[in-house]
Amino acid sequence: MKRTTGQDRSITAKWRPATRAVRGGTWRSDWGETSEAIFLTSGYSYEDAATPADRFAGKAPGMTYSRTQNPSVQMLEERIALLEGAEACRTQASGMAAMSTAMLCQLSVGDHMVVARAAFGPTRWVTDNLLPRFGIDCTAVDGRDLDQWKAAIRPNTKVFFFETPANPTMDVVDIAAVCALAKQHGITTVVDNAFATAALQRPLDLGADVVAYAATKLMDGQGRVLAGAVCGSADFINTKLLPFQRNTGPTLSPFNAWLVLKGLETLELRAIRQAENALEIGRFLESRVPVLNHPGLPSHPQHELVKRQMRMAGSVFSFELDGGRQAAHAFLDALEMVDISNNIGDTKSLMTHPASTTHSSLTPEVRADMGVTEGMLRISVGLEDPQDVIEDLDRGLKAIGA
Ligand SMILES: *Cc1c(COP(=O)(O)O)cnc(C)c1O
């Protein structure tokens, strides 16, 4: 393997984001391939017996086993770290592997954590059901309200965890304010940045300690693979996350790593175009639905905050229909083009009814607390001509007489 400039931080540190997205992290084999290679290997062989001994002892660089290192995976990790402005990154097999690893690697029995209540459904399952089984208490707060974060702090609070904008209510958390509060109390902040990605929002620049990703979403961006990533300081990644990860094994496959690596090359182009399309579609819906949760529009109660901490508001938003679940399902059933799908961040526009899909594992009380109503629909806007999406949504609205 030849190290290229993409692996040299003294060079990549000077590159602008678009260059990092295309060349960051690249390694080349002796063949000199221009596209990054896929190393589908679980193990590595050595010239002599002393080499693996040195690598296992941490005295020499190099790969030992693909649960811990793989060249294709490392290229992706370096590229994500560069885009995020992080010292280090480790990838996982899915977004939920990333979220649960980011929590479990730093929490122990007797610790306490605070989570913003509007979060991805499985994230809330982990905080509400899994962590308490291991003696880790979790308090859910309205992430928009700094006083609730403050009031939830206990002497044993170790982690603040939030997602912004949050799925599916589009609540926005003031990243700088919550991270500053956490710092005062020696609490580590973890931000799930899946909805925005580094193309639109950089939590580390705003004071976050750790950024966790479902790379399944905008990073791959083409709906092909599951992947996750956790970014942070070299100290956090190497002393907390890595020991947990190498021994429990939520490792990303090299093939999936390669797909996400190639996805990152067009991340910024896609994220911006999809956000522009989402604005156009949001403006159409504004006069047609009783409630619209679109952080990119001035009607969103936190629009000023969005403008402060995001480059654009992203491609996902939600709205409510009168008539509850029945109307929401009838709307979806009337669509001809937009797919009924609970995924997001694809090039294809997708819509889902959160209460009966992504958030169905939560109790009705937790759903109500989060603001996930029976009449709510979520849309992830893709790269189609937005006019075609608007015509399809118009079909859905007419079907329910709206
Ligand atoms: C999808 C998603 C996850 C989980 O990612 P998977 O790859 O599906 O496990 C976590 N957080 C957010 C905000 C997501 O959208």
Side-chain angles (χ1 to χ4, degrees), residues 142-146 149 162-166 170-179 200-202 206 294-313:
D142 181 341
R144 296 167 295 186
D145 183 355
L146 189 65
W149 288 99
F162 63 85
E163 175 185 320
T164 182
M170 298 297 124
D171 288 0
V172 178
V173 177
D174 188 332
I175 302 175
V178 173
C179 293
L200 304 180
Q201 172 172 278
R202 300 202 345 151
L206 297 164
H294 193 315
L297 293 175
S299 58
H300 190 281
Q302 297 170 289
H303 184 59
E304 287 308 311
L305 171 60
V306 170
K307 285 202 288 192
R308 251 193 346 262
Q309 68 186 24
M310 300 186 77
R311 179 171 169 191
M312 289 188 81

Side-chain angles (χ1 to χ4, degrees), residues 380-395:
S380 168
V381 175
L383 286 175
E384 303 98 340
D385 189 310
Q387 213 45 51
D388 286 322
V389 178
I390 286 172
E391 284 171 19
D392 210 23
L393 299 184
D394 187 49
R395 213 170 273 130

Side-chain angles (χ1 to χ4, degrees), residues 273-310:
R273 174 61 73 85
Q274 288 175 235
E276 286 168 357
N277 291 354
L279 275 176
E280 197 170 328
I281 294 162
R283 284 190 199 105
F284 159 76
L285 283 170
E286 201 146 42
S287 59
R288 298 283 298 274
V289 296
V291 179
L292 179 68
N293 308 307
H294 193 315
L297 293 175
S299 58
H300 190 281
Q302 297 170 289
H303 184 59
E304 287 308 311
L305 171 60
V306 170
K307 285 202 288 192
R308 251 193 346 262
Q309 68 186 24
M310 300 186 77

